């Protein structure tokens, strides 16, 4: 997931942000399934309303987890700077008998 910033660079979600989004998504799916099941079983006694509630909560969870929100970019990766001159390697030839 990436978004553009003012400078034209793209910011990507860091690893801790990915873990947080995954945790929110997993717990949200479990909790929404339980809530939808209990609502459909005890209150409405209708399977269609159970699917509506599950779909609505799933949509909210996807809106929270899929976009690259700033909360998911709290620990950016620090990359090494690109060297000004190209790095060259010399390989010496050796004879094997």
């Amino acid at each position: 997931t990436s978004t553009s910033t003012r400078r034209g660079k793209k910011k990507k979600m860091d690893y801790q942000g990915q873990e947080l989004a995954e945790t929110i998504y997993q717990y949200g799916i479990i909790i929404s399934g339980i809530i939808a099941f209990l609502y459909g079983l005890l209150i409405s006694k209708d399977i269609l309303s159970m699917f509506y509630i599950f779909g609505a909560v799933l949509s909210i969870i996807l809106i929270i987890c899929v976009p690259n929100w700033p909360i998911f970019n709290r620990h950016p990766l620090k990359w090494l700077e690109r060297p000004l001159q190209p790095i060259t390697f010399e390989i010496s030839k050796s004879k094997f008998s």
Side-chain angles (χ1 to χ4, degrees):
T1 307
S2 63
T3 59
S4 59
T5 60
R6 280 188 240 166
R7 298 180 194 159
K9 293 182 180 180
K10 295 197 176 198
K11 263 183 133 175
K12 294 190 177 184
M13 188 183 294
D14 57 43
Y15 293 121
Q16 286 89 355
Q18 290 175 3
E19 184 178 0
L20 177 62
E22 182 71 23
T23 303
I24 292 170
Y25 182 73
Q26 287 177 353
Y27 284 118
I29 293 294
I30 292 169
I31 292 170
S32 67
I34 291 170
I35 290 171
F37 179 75
L38 292 175
Y39 180 81
L41 181 69
L42 302 175
I43 297 173
S44 72
K45 301 196 185 323
D46 183 25
I47 195 165
L48 189 60
S49 63
M50 179 180 75
F51 284 119
Y52 284 147
I53 289 179
F54 184 73
V57 176
L58 179 66
S59 300
I60 293 169
I61 292 170
L62 288 176
I63 290 171
I64 292 171
C65 293
V66 171
N68 192 12
W69 298 107
I71 193 171
F72 300 130
N73 293 318
R74 290 185 177 175
H75 307 284
L77 296 175
K78 295 180 183 175
W79 298 93
L80 295 175
E81 293 293 325
R82 179 179 283 185
L84 298 176
Q85 298 176 354
I87 300 173
T88 58
F89 295 100
E90 292 183 18
I91 301 174
S92 62
K93 295 182 181 181
S94 62
K95 296 182 181 180
F96 293 102
S97 311

